[in-house]
Amino acid sequence: MFIVGPFLAIAWISMKTASDSMLDEVGRTTLQLAEQNHITLEKSLSAVNGRTVTLLDNHFFSDPAQYRFWTRIETLGDIRAADAVLDRWSSDGSEYTLYMKNEEGRAPPVDLSYKSAGFKYYRADAGDLPDWGKEALEEGGAGTLRLIPQAFGNPSTVGYVRSILNPENYDETIGLLVVTKLEVLLTRDLVSVLLPEGAATYVFDGRGELLMKAGTQSEALEAVPGAAAGREAGYYFETGGAGSWLYAFSRRSAFDTTLVYKIPLDAITGNRTAYPWALLAVAAVYLAFVLLFVLYLLRLIVKPVLRLVNVTKIYEPGQPLHTDGDFRRTDEFGLLYGAFLKMTRRLDQSVQENYVMKIKQKESELAALHSQITPHLLYNTLDSIYWYALDSGNQDVGEMVKDLSKLLRIGLSKGKTVITVGEELEHVGAYCRLQMKRYPNRFQVHWDVDDSLAGYAAPKVILQPLVENAIFHGVSGMDGEGEIWVRTRSAEDGIRLVVEDNGFLPVDPERLNRSLEEETSDKGYGIRNVHRRVRLHFGEGYGLRFASREGVGLVAEIRIPYSDR
């Protein structure tokens, strides 16, 4: 009792405390689940918002011809064309409706008021718009989430409403874009979380209006619970006539929505009263066995552990280890001892390999120093030719010699395989200038370079083969119309080095991408070499990819990480 009694007392107190704290743990877990579910809903709404921005940009702000079309619809053909455009945007289960202000009193050949989606007109004074439409016109281009009533007795739908501003005068609103039946998208996000039986999920807008509900809970919430009003996130427990409930709520400001979980407490905790006592009884029996097992382990473990510790004390890396052969047992300690011996052998081998590697490194440094003599003489000779050409008044020859010297100096890089992005751009710039001298008035090179990326590391000579392909296979045969773009830009997963041309010859990007992985083909060795060197330095997630350019031409893109030299 002296040994077991304290354990039983501690177990009883622990079970009592666990019973009280379990509810808080369940509440925190449910809150995290609600917040993650709310983030998923917000991502779906963000996707809808992005699609509306894209639609308005494509049809009102970027293309004057499209803007004139939408503001002058009058014939039946125009209405059908507008409906076809909006129908294509409704492919995900939602419905797109565009209301255009009828300032000029256009009279379409058919009555548009009966339509549930597609193109519609509203009067210049907005008198024929519902209240939600009038409120959206006052938002100034911002999108709002609303519960929109439907005609003909149909249930209300969740809609996203955005006013359309005049591209020529942002202070004027010329229409409304409405995306309805969003409950089709949002329900998928809500039911993706499996809740206990009798639970329900509610989504409210910023006005406290219930947008939608999912789950089996029969008792609906008509408004945000009072304990959740005005708070960003949290959970609480409430006991009423119908039982005890867990409420977890999350409010997010992006679309001003509130997500509420209502879960019956019995579905979470179950028979939590009997469980701790059953666990306490099991603990008492288990402790009795533990007492006997501890006595056994003292004899089984302590002695071999002490012997293994003594062996580790006498081991010195690189020195032979003399061990007691009798200690090699077949149980876990034998396995541990065998693994220790393997580790010592690998460590001894690593010491030897490190010694040999240092010797080879010294030999490589001597060989590299010797190999720099000839390039140094070549640079000095080219530099002398450059100044001689300038003194002779031949500026073009001098510039070509200067670019050739830079091309060789950066290409050799004193034996280095990795240089900076800035040095790589200098190298390909020198190459472009030489080729433009070779093919005068055939093509132009445009530079779109992010200077903030110049200090990051890149394998050397990876852009020049791409530019060479663009010249010889893309624009060299074009009489002054060839154009090449060299771009650098940053992305979340790394740096993009892009070479793009407007070559008129047809190119199959998929065939080029397949050739990057081929081993036996002699064609495309230069680009395959670039692809493999990038992967060798940075891993399988990086490399070269080709794509068709919009219109004509080819885009070659190299992906490398943000890496210091």
Side-chain angles (χ1 to χ4, degrees):
M1 291 303 298
F2 179 76
I3 296 176
V4 177
F7 283 99
L8 293 177
I10 293 174
W12 183 83
I13 295 173
S14 299
M15 292 304 166
K16 185 70 169 61
T17 305
S19 178
D20 295 336
S21 64
M22 181 174 59
L23 295 178
D24 288 333
E25 184 64 30
V26 169
R28 287 192 296 269
T29 303
T30 306
L31 175 59
Q32 292 177 359
L33 185 63
E35 290 179 331
Q36 292 297 324
N37 197 188
H38 205 174
I39 291 173
T40 303
L41 289 174
E42 197 168 77
K43 288 181 178 178
S44 298
L45 293 174
S46 296
V48 174
N49 177 66
R51 286 172 62 86
T52 61
V53 172
T54 303
L55 187 151
L56 294 180
D57 183 59
N58 292 345
H59 293 273
F60 286 88
F61 294 92
S62 299
D63 191 344
Q66 286 289 326
Y67 170 73
R68 289 192 296 272
F69 166 76
W70 288 99
T71 54
R72 299 177 183 177
I73 292 177
E74 190 166 13
T75 66
L76 185 59
D78 291 341
I79 295 172
R80 288 177 177 175
D83 287 345
V85 171
L86 295 172
D87 187 60
R88 286 195 298 271
W89 286 86
S90 304
S91 59
D92 58 355
S94 58
E95 289 187 351
Y96 280 69
T97 305
L98 194 145
Y99 293 81
M100 186 60 62
K101 182 190 290 186
N102 195 356
E103 290 184 323
E104 299 181 5
R106 300 185 185 276
V110 294
D111 184 11
L112 304 179
S113 62
Y114 74 94
K115 296 170 62 178
S116 62
F119 179 82
K120 294 185 178 184
Y121 272 123
Y122 68 90
R123 297 202 308 265
D125 61 358
D128 54 345
L129 280 179
D131 292 339
W132 56 264
K134 297 175 182 178
E135 293 175 2
L137 291 177
E138 300 174 357
E139 294 293 335
T144 58
L145 199 64
R146 299 295 302 264
L147 188 65
I148 299 177
Q150 297 190 92
F152 310 112
N154 293 323
S156 299
T157 180
V158 180
Y160 186 71
V161 186
R162 178 187 293 277
S163 58
I164 305 173
L165 303 180
N166 189 340
E168 300 174 354
N169 181 12
Y170 285 171
D171 293 332
E172 179 186 358
T173 302
I174 62 173
L176 284 176
L177 178 61
V178 183
V179 185
T180 56
K181 295 190 177 180
L182 292 182
E183 62 270 13
V184 177
L185 300 176
L186 301 181
T187 300
R188 289 200 298 261
D189 296 331
L190 290 179
V191 300
S192 63
V193 177
L194 185 61
L195 295 178
E197 183 179 357
T201 307
Y202 305 88
V203 181
F204 298 90
D205 61 14
R207 293 169 294 278
E209 187 176 22
L210 178 61
L211 295 178
M212 56 183 302
K213 164 185 173 293
T216 59
Q217 174 54 241
S218 59
E219 184 181 351
L221 290 177
E222 298 300 331
V224 178
R231 297 170 59 188
E232 294 296 324
Y235 65 92
Y236 66 95
F237 299 92
E238 185 177 273
T239 301
S244 298
W245 306 92
L246 165 61
Y247 291 87
F249 56 92
S250 169
R251 181 181 178 275
R252 299 188 66 85
S253 59
F255 296 93
D256 199 11
T257 55
T258 302
L259 177 68
V260 179
Y261 280 4
K262 183 179 180 182
I263 304 174
L265 202 57
D266 291 341
I268 302 174
T269 59
N271 191 9
R272 65 179 185 272
T273 304
Y275 173 75
W277 291 104
L279 193 60
L280 184 62
V282 172
V285 176
Y286 175 75
L287 284 174
F289 283 101
V290 167
L291 293 177
L292 298 176
F293 188 63
V294 165
L295 296 176
Y296 171 73
L297 290 181
L298 289 176
R299 297 178 55 87
L300 183 66
I301 296 177
V302 175
K303 184 177 180 180
V305 166
L306 291 177
R307 295 184 63 182
L308 183 58
V309 169
N310 291 332
V311 173
T312 59
K313 289 180 179 180
I314 63 175
Y315 171 67
E316 292 290 339
Q319 300 296 327
L321 178 62
H322 301 286
T323 60
D324 184 4
D326 295 338
F327 186 68
R328 298 187 178 182
R329 298 163 35 164
T330 58
D331 57 8
E332 289 80 0
F333 287 99
L335 296 175
L336 181 61
Y337 184 71
F340 176 76
L341 292 180
K342 291 180 181 179
M343 180 195 68
T344 59
R345 287 194 290 269
R346 286 195 297 268
L347 184 58
D348 292 340
Q349 183 179 0
S350 298
V351 171
Q352 181 66 22
E353 290 176 352
N354 185 48
Y355 175 74
V356 174
M357 188 179 299
K358 287 183 179 179
I359 295 177
K360 290 183 178 181
Q361 182 179 2
K362 294 295 182 182
E363 294 175 351
S364 299
E365 291 175 355
L366 291 175
L369 183 62
H370 178 73
S371 66
Q372 291 175 6
I373 297 175
T374 301
H376 182 71
L377 177 61
L378 177 61
Y379 300 150
N380 289 339
T381 303
L382 291 174
D383 193 54
S384 299
I385 297 173
Y386 167 70
W387 289 110
Y388 179 76
L390 293 183
D391 292 339
S392 301
N394 198 330
Q395 182 73 23
D396 289 341
V397 173
E399 293 300 327
M400 291 180 70
V401 171
K402 182 179 179 181
D403 286 333
L404 177 60
S405 176
K406 182 177 295 185
L407 195 69
L408 292 174
R409 181 177 290 108
I410 297 178
L412 294 175
S413 302
K414 298 182 181 180
K416 296 184 294 184
T417 59
V418 176
I419 59 178
T420 65
V421 172
E423 291 173 329
E424 179 65 17
L425 291 173
E426 284 186 46
H427 180 267
V428 76
Y431 177 78
C432 290
R433 290 190 291 272
L434 289 172
Q435 292 299 330
M436 292 175 73
K437 292 289 193 304
R438 181 180 178 186
Y439 300 101
N441 301 322
R442 295 288 186 87
F443 63 91
Q444 294 181 343
V445 180
H446 307 283
W447 301 86
D448 182 9
V449 175
D450 187 348
D451 293 334
S452 64
L453 305 176
Y456 290 104
K460 69 178 181 180
V461 193
I462 57 176
L463 284 176
Q464 182 269 335
L466 304 182
V467 174
E468 181 179 349
N469 280 0
I471 294 174
F472 290 105
H473 302 294
V475 301
S476 62
M478 300 174 69
D479 189 12
E481 298 178 354
E483 291 185 282
I484 296 175
W485 292 266
V486 179
R487 296 186 173 97
T488 64
R489 62 178 185 267
S490 60
E492 291 185 0
D493 57 347
I495 300 173
R496 301 290 190 270
L497 307 177
V498 182
V499 176
E500 181 178 344
D501 66 78
N502 66 340
F504 62 91
L505 296 177
V507 181
D508 184 3
E510 294 301 326
R511 182 181 62 80
L512 292 176
N513 288 327
R514 289 195 300 271
S515 69
L516 296 177
E517 309 298 336
E518 293 178 358
E519 298 289 343
T520 57
S521 175
D522 293 333
K523 296 181 179 180
Y525 175 78
I527 60 174
R528 191 161 58 248
N529 178 270
V530 170
H531 178 65
R532 291 180 179 177
R533 284 194 293 120
V534 172
R535 284 195 166 186
L536 179 64
H537 282 284
F538 301 121
E540 296 293 327
Y542 302 93
L544 172 62
R545 277 293 176 269
F546 291 94
S548 296
R549 183 175 175 268
E550 185 176 356
V552 293
L554 184 68
V555 178
E557 180 182 271
I558 300 175
R559 295 194 305 121
I560 61 175
Y562 296 102
S563 175
D564 296 328
R565 298 183 61 184

